[in-house]
Amino acid sequence: MTKKTVLNNAHRELGARMVDFGGWDMPVNYGSQIDEHHDVRKSVGMFDVSHMTVVDVGGAKAKAYLQHLLANDVAKLTRQGKALYSCMLNGEAGIIDDLIVYFLDEKNYRLVVNASTRDKDIAWLEKQAENFDVEINERPTLAMIAVQGPKARQKVCPLLPERLGLAAAEINPFSACWHGEWFVGRTGYTGEDGFEIMLPEDRAEGFWKQLLEVGVKPCGLGARDTLRLEAGMNLYGQDMDETKNPLESGLAWTVAWQPAERDFVGRAALEKIKENASSDKFVGLLLEEKGVLRGHQEVVLDDGSRGEITSGGYSPSMERSIALARVPASIGETCKIDIRGKLKNATVVKPCFVRQGAVQIKI
């Protein structure tokens, strides 16, 4: 049965085009995906991300548990509210999911994991908790709204309850503050400044409408995907999954190898992979001819070896076709893409195309 967020009726009232997304009835756009994309890059837009899974981890061994569970090290989190991005690996170093973990205090952390992986994530979290004194508490009664764009702080902070708006205006990127059940993280998935706001479900529709009244544009999954692709952020299920490890998914920077004695799940397998120097590399691609880059298209290198586009599409900010791809490490500055049997020229770039409203590569 298709699931609905608490904002489902609000999306329909706004005329959203709804689609099935991993079992959830979600808005893909409210008329123009391109306009929504530009709203976020130039001003401010908001997304209903209430389908994502919020999980609180508490207990005397919460820190030790997360140090065992995650490839990145929560010991880096020494300031209350600080956030960390990490992969959660299986024993073979395949990526079960990617997530953000917030440090609430020494015995309490908050995780935000993907919607489509919810069931296997919860099962894995509970299985790994068997040898630790911790409680795993999913929070399905919290809604979540992401407000992104250069005007996000200006629009959001005055609407937050109590003194939370003052606190939110001061927090650093990748940090959070909270008051009661309201939790505000200065994080996002678009390459722009902004917030991800968790709040009680019964307050979500009212807050959504307040944001509309001050000019925050509603945006759907379509714009969210073009924004994240431009920002060079991986999408679970396309750019990474359980058959791929962080080193071949452009996520080596998220693996904390030190201290050497920290034995996180997947470490031994990942060390072997690292020693064998995997030949795969994760890159960005810019198409130099007409056409659209899509996932699973073949990347053809000058030496004849081949790689694969993991996710691709049209960049509204650059008006060009771009992609993320997993390719042999021998790739040079250019390559060709097999688009329906025709080889088209592409330039190899760093996998970050647009951030903070500015194009990051030479076009």
Side-chain angles (χ1 to χ4, degrees), residues 285-297:
L285 299 175
L286 176 68
L287 188 63
E288 299 293 352
E289 303 180 45
K290 287 185 179 179
V292 179
L293 300 179
R294 299 292 186 197
H296 305 302
Q297 289 173 340

Side-chain angles (χ1 to χ4, degrees), residues 1-297:
M1 183 175 178
T2 304
K3 293 175 278 190
K4 298 178 180 178
T5 74
V6 71
L7 293 172
N8 190 273
N9 287 336
H11 300 317
R12 294 181 179 280
E13 289 173 4
L14 291 169
R17 180 187 163 214
M18 307 297 286
V19 297
D20 180 90
F21 180 73
W24 289 83
D25 187 40
M26 298 296 291
V28 67
N29 65 58
Y30 298 81
S32 170
Q33 175 180 329
I34 299 295
D35 288 349
E36 292 165 20
H37 180 106
H38 290 310
D39 284 335
V40 173
R41 284 276 178 254
K42 298 174 181 176
S43 181
V44 61
M46 61 180 171
F47 306 84
D48 176 15
V49 287
S50 303
H51 57 309
M52 297 188 75
T53 308
V54 180
V55 182
D56 287 343
V57 176
K61 296 297 181 181
K63 180 178 178 180
Y65 164 70
L66 292 171
Q67 286 189 289
H68 167 73
L69 180 76
L70 302 177
N72 211 339
D73 190 358
V74 296
K76 296 176 182 177
L77 302 175
T78 56
R79 183 163 48 81
Q80 195 173 43
K82 188 65 180 163
L84 183 79
Y85 174 73
S86 180
C87 291
M88 182 165 67
L89 308 180
N90 60 29
E92 291 73 47
I95 301 173
I96 292 176
D97 202 2
D98 65 324
L99 57 85
I100 291 178
V101 54
Y102 293 95
F103 173 57
L104 309 184
D105 60 43
E106 289 291 340
K107 296 182 180 178
N108 291 282
Y109 295 80
R110 170 162 291 182
L111 312 183
V112 180
V113 304
N114 285 302
S116 60
T117 53
R118 181 257 173 206
D119 291 344
K120 71 169 184 176
D121 284 357
I122 297 296
W124 186 254
L125 289 168
E126 290 177 345
K127 180 180 179 182
Q128 295 302 319
E130 290 174 354
N131 296 321
F132 293 88
D133 180 16
V134 294
E135 291 185 0
I136 310 297
N137 183 20
E138 188 183 358
R139 302 299 307 278
T141 59
L142 291 179
M144 190 167 168
I145 298 171
V147 184
Q148 298 280 293
K151 294 184 178 178
R153 284 200 292 172
Q154 172 189 333
K155 298 294 187 182
V156 168
C157 293
L159 301 181
L160 294 171
E162 304 290 338
R163 295 178 62 82
L164 187 58
L166 295 175
E170 299 297 326
I171 57 173
N172 293 321
F174 239 65
S175 298
C177 58
W178 54 91
H179 178 79
E181 290 288 87
W182 286 69
F183 187 95
V184 180
R186 194 175 168 190
T187 55
Y189 196 48
T190 64
E192 298 297 326
D193 193 11
F195 297 112
E196 291 184 312
I197 304 144
M198 298 166 221
L199 69 167
E201 276 193 331
D202 61 358
R203 302 289 299 277
E205 187 168 354
F207 187 63
W208 178 268
K209 290 182 176 177
Q210 282 184 294
L211 290 165
L212 282 173
E213 289 170 0
V214 298
V216 180
K217 301 295 184 183
C219 303
L221 295 169
R224 187 168 170 80
D225 193 52
T226 53
L227 289 159
R228 75 92 195 163
L229 180 60
E230 286 186 352
M233 295 185 184
N234 287 22
L235 176 63
Y236 193 83
Q238 288 188 198
D239 304 301
M240 56 185 165
D241 56 34
E242 288 193 55
T243 69
K244 301 300 177 186
N245 64 71
L247 306 184
E248 57 188 343
S249 301
L251 296 172
W253 62 275
T254 69
V255 179
W257 296 105
Q258 299 297 328
E261 61 271 21
R262 186 176 70 92
D263 186 22
F264 60 84
V265 178
R267 177 169 190 141
L270 200 57
E271 284 180 338
K272 287 184 179 178
I273 294 167
K274 188 181 180 187
E275 288 171 3
N276 293 332
S278 168
S279 61
D280 281 349
K281 188 176 181 181
F282 203 72
V283 300
L285 299 175
L286 176 68
L287 188 63
E288 299 293 352
E289 303 180 45
K290 287 185 179 179
V292 179
L293 300 179
R294 299 292 186 197
H296 305 302
Q297 289 173 340

Side-chain angles (χ1 to χ4, degrees), residues 289 298 300 306 336-339 341-345:
E289 303 180 45
E298 274 197 321
V300 183
R306 293 174 182 253
K336 296 187 185 299
I337 312 299
D338 187 336
I339 301 179
K342 295 183 179 179
L343 293 180
K344 300 204 173 187
N345 294 311

